[in-house]
């Protein structure tokens, strides 16, 4: 069964941008999979794709796929220079600051107990 065409936001011979729904995996993980991850769902229609980014399971957003290994290598060799990941969140309650920065290490998914990865968030209240 092909993906809903409305979820494909952009495609050309090099890149494919797809709307990932909340509660949907981008790729298969180590654990049991209850439903097909987005990558596996797209693969029959777009053979040769490779995910460039991932977002959290609970998060909806755009996943960008390279259409082949050469494109993936080009993007990765450039170190994603000039690329920016932006999240928009709806927060209940009152924000006391109009914006700010949070720099706090986050637990990694590698399974190593106590291992943390650096994380930096800059936020701005829109409304």
């Amino acid at each position: 069964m092909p993906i809903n065409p409305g979820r494909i936001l952009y495609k050309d011979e090099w890149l494919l941008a797809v709307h990932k729904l909340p509660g949907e995996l981008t790729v298969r993980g180590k654990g049991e999979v209850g439903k097909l991850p987005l990558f596996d769902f797209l693969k029959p229609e777009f053979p040769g794709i490779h995910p460039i980014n991932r977002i959290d399971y609970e998060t909806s957003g755009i996943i960008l796929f390279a259409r082949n290994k050469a494109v993936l290598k080009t993007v990765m060799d450039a170190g994603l220079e000039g690329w920016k990941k932006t999240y928009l969140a709806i927060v209940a309650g009152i924000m006391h600051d109009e914006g700010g920065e949070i720099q706090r290490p986050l637990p990694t998914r590698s399974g190593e107990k106590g291992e943390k990865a650096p994380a930096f968030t800059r936020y701005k209240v829109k409304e």
Side-chain angles (χ1 to χ4, degrees):
M1 172 195 271
I3 193 165
N4 177 328
R7 291 183 58 195
I8 297 174
L9 305 173
Y10 178 83
K11 71 178 176 180
D12 63 19
E13 62 186 289
W14 303 285
L15 299 170
L16 175 69
V18 181
H19 177 223
K20 185 192 96 56
L21 304 174
E24 184 172 53
L25 290 170
T26 301
V27 296
R28 212 173 277 277
K30 293 180 184 176
E32 188 68 26
V33 178
K35 59 183 178 178
L36 212 53
L38 183 59
F39 173 77
D40 291 352
F41 204 82
L42 291 165
K43 194 110 171 114
E45 190 174 349
F46 301 99
I49 61 170
H50 301 275
I52 292 175
N53 69 307
R54 297 182 193 183
I55 52 180
D56 291 340
Y57 175 76
E58 302 87 4
T59 306
S60 66
I62 300 170
I63 301 294
L64 195 59
F65 293 90
R67 296 288 300 267
N68 59 57
K69 283 184 181 179
V71 172
L72 179 65
K73 183 177 179 349
T74 299
V75 171
M76 292 300 131
D77 285 352
L80 300 176
E81 186 177 328
W83 296 51
K84 182 172 138 182
K85 188 185 287 189
T86 303
Y87 289 93
L88 177 64
I90 298 173
V91 179
I94 298 171
M95 297 294 293
H96 296 288
D97 297 322
E98 291 297 313
E101 296 177 353
I102 302 168
Q103 193 162 357
R104 184 176 309 154
L106 298 174
T108 66
R109 295 180 188 218
S110 69
E112 297 294 324
K113 194 167 185 117
E115 186 178 356
K116 303 244 181 194
F120 176 77
T121 301
R122 180 176 296 127
Y123 71 93
K124 178 180 173 185
V125 177
K126 297 280 188 183
E127 189 176 304

